[in-house]
Amino acid sequence: MKAEIKGIGMYVPPRVLTNYDLEKILDTSDEWITTRTGIKERHIAEEWEKASDLALPACKEALENAGMSPKDIDAVIVATSTPDMTFPSTACFLADKLGCSKPMAFDISAACSGFIYGLTIGNSFITSGQFKNVLVVGAEVFSHIIDWSDRSTAVIFGDGAGAVVLSATENGSGILSAVMKSDGSHWGSLYCPVGEKLRMRGRETFKLAIKSMENASLKALHEAGITLADISLVIPHQANIRIINALAEKLGLPEDKVFSNIHKYGNTSAASIPIAMYEAWKEGKIKKGDYILLTAFGGGLTWGAIVLQF
Ligand code: COA
């Protein structure tokens, strides 16, 4: 028994904030942001919009693409660092808004690695035989925890949601390996105290990101019993185009084998991988049966990688 991705969906709020808009409120420039991060614009939620509001349309689309109803879902897992409330979980709000039939529902706090942590947990539920269909969601409203006077972080993050329906299958495809790690001794690189705003030490995060994603990727490939040559596309967390390009170089991959859409969305934290996977699929860059590698890192520090057959 394996867990495969049956359906995928995404949603970003319509309001776009460009680098030129940021030039008007901060001492920054489109040139600085583009060359240092690769970001051109990001989507920003309204003040009243919560993570579950962004997750809802993403989940509806994932269910529709899977040909399934909310009633088929046994568990809802939401990865978010910007939950609707401390409790109840965003997953409980989301399951209710979707009209699910009282599934297990809970949130994961693993910052930008949250979605692949969620996929790993969903995979375990399915391969153990406990559940058949699990909704795994990354949903974030980082605009709510950004200090809009801090140019070093305000230019980086964006809002959005991505979701997958993970289902039991015996056709051989699905998740092949998952490597998940953390190191709390580096917590000060990227953190957000309760009720306060996000803080980051950019340089430190940058270096740790490349090394940790490279190591996790190689370990996940080894555990899946395949090599990089078998991989059709690497979908890394969208934190910075320079991190993505450095990872491609370390792995010895051409840039076109490593997906990026950071120019449109910035860093949407736990939502970035499902949004990127959705767009790669829509653009025909991943097809049924392809091997793909997902890798992420984030506050915690947390990091990891997953190899799956789409
Ligand atoms: N516009 C213009 N100048 C800026 C700026 C901005 N938005 N943000 C910072 N600067 C300035 C700094 O104040 C500094 O000026 P100084 O030399 O006069 O002190 C200079 O640019 C260089 O700052 P530094 O932080 O050393 O730049 P950098 O090359 O490391 O790039 C990041 C900064 C944040 C883009 C980069 O470190 C990064 O992407 N790190 C990873 C962050 C990340 O991915 N976080 C999410 C993890 S999931």
Side-chain angles (χ1 to χ4, degrees):
M1 184 68 75
K2 284 204 172 67
E4 69 168 352
I5 292 176
K6 275 276 282 248
I8 178 161
M10 68 166 274
Y11 178 77
V12 287
R15 185 149 65 103
V16 173
L17 187 70
T18 66
N19 292 349
Y20 298 107
D21 296 328
L22 285 169
E23 281 181 357
K24 294 180 198 140
I25 56 168
L26 288 168
D27 179 15
T28 190
S29 65
D30 171 58
E31 199 267 332
W32 192 96
I33 302 168
T34 307
T35 53
R36 300 287 178 123
T37 71
I39 301 165
K40 297 297 283 183
E41 58 189 40
R42 69 288 290 146
H43 290 248
I44 302 292
E46 301 301 325
E47 260 174 51
W48 52 265
E49 258 176 323
K50 302 207 182 304
S52 67
D53 296 318
L54 304 192
L56 184 63
C59 291
K60 284 185 176 167
E61 188 180 12
L63 284 163
E64 193 182 313
N65 288 332
M68 286 166 60
S69 130
K71 309 267 182 244
D72 299 322
I73 296 298
D74 306 308
V76 178
I77 303 175
V78 176
T80 185
S81 298
T82 48
D84 293 16
M85 292 190 187
T86 303
F87 71 87
S89 68
T90 305
C92 280
F93 286 115
L94 177 62
D96 182 50
K97 286 177 185 176
L98 276 168
C100 295
S101 297
K102 303 186 174 47
M104 179 185 192
F106 62 97
D107 291 357
I108 295 177
S109 170
C112 302
S113 311
F115 181 76
I116 58 173
Y117 267 58
L119 268 190
T120 308
I121 295 166
N123 180 49
S124 300
F125 281 143
I126 288 172
T127 54
S128 69
Q130 184 150 24
F131 295 136
K132 282 204 162 53
N133 302 305
V134 179
L135 200 50
V136 183
V137 188
E140 302 281 17
V141 281
F142 261 55
S143 62
H144 294 181
I145 56 163
I146 289 295
D147 173 356
W148 287 101
S149 66
D150 174 11
R151 66 179 181 173
S152 66
T153 53
V155 304
I156 290 182
F157 296 93
D159 300 335
V164 300
V165 177
L166 205 56
S167 293
T169 178
E170 284 178 359
N171 73 12
S173 63
I175 294 175
L176 301 176
S177 66
V179 173
M180 296 294 120
K181 296 280 181 187
S182 74
D183 180 353
S185 71
H186 288 293
W187 70 270
S189 304
L190 182 55
Y191 64 100
C192 181
V194 174
E196 296 182 27
K197 300 295 181 194
L198 174 152
R199 293 169 209 168
M200 180 176 81
R201 292 204 286 262
R203 284 241 162 132
E204 201 174 299
T205 319
F206 194 98
K207 286 187 200 143
L208 291 164
I210 300 165
K211 194 81 207 132
S212 53
M213 288 199 291
E214 181 196 2
N215 289 344
S217 297
L218 294 176
K219 191 157 190 277
L221 283 165
H222 178 74
E223 288 182 7
I226 62 170
T227 70
L228 264 177
D230 299 310
I231 296 288
S232 302
L233 195 66
V234 178
I235 303 177
H237 169 49
Q238 306 288 305
N240 181 317
I241 195 65
R242 290 188 295 143
I243 293 176
I244 295 171
N245 291 343
L247 177 70
E249 197 184 314
K250 290 262 183 203
L251 293 175
L253 287 173
E255 281 174 19
D256 66 352
K257 260 205 161 187
V258 184
F259 189 79
S260 175
N261 59 3
I262 192 169
H263 56 289
K264 292 192 281 182
Y265 305 116
N267 180 345
T268 57
S269 192
S272 97
I273 287 187
I275 289 176
M277 187 158 46
Y278 174 91
E279 292 206 329
W281 170 64
K282 276 278 172 182
E283 290 169 22
K285 291 186 173 153
I286 44 176
K287 298 179 201 65
K288 194 86 200 127
D290 284 353
Y291 290 105
I292 61 174
L293 169 67
L294 314 176
T295 183
F297 76 98
L301 290 175
T302 55
W303 68 97
I306 284 180
V307 172
L308 62 88
Q309 195 174 14
F310 197 67

